[in-house]
Amino acid sequence: AMAQRLLQAVKAQGMPHQFSPASNVVTISLGLATRVGEQAQGSAVALLALADAQLYAAKHGGRAQVRGAVLELGAAPPPPAGG
């Protein structure tokens, strides 16, 4: 819900984006991640990697998108974004 409000608030500002072929106003895309389970060593790095991967998925999904995922305790981190 908060992420959708952020998307709408940025778009509502109507900031011109004169060099974009996709939209005449600035929009944002968001990648979110949350963790389930007890704290594990290195989990912050894995959580940030998952959020980054979700951001790239949102950008590839189109303009003004939100993507999110849950990092399970003991799960392998996602592959590096952009690759």
Side-chain angles (χ1 to χ4, degrees):
M2 175 62 81
Q4 290 298 328
R5 289 195 302 261
L6 284 171
L7 293 181
Q8 292 169 1
V10 169
K11 188 174 181 179
Q13 292 297 310
M15 293 180 276
H17 198 317
Q18 59 184 332
F19 300 111
S20 173
S23 177
N24 59 350
V25 296
V26 172
T27 61
I28 61 173
S29 293
L30 301 170
L32 309 173
T34 189
R35 184 183 65 205
V36 174
E38 297 178 13
Q39 186 173 357
Q41 184 177 0
S43 63
V45 172
L47 190 62
L48 287 172
L50 181 57
D52 189 53
Q54 293 303 301
L55 174 58
Y56 277 87
K59 288 181 175 187
H60 290 309
R63 299 190 69 79
Q65 299 287 312
V66 176
R67 295 290 186 272
V70 175
L71 179 65
E72 301 284 344
L73 181 62

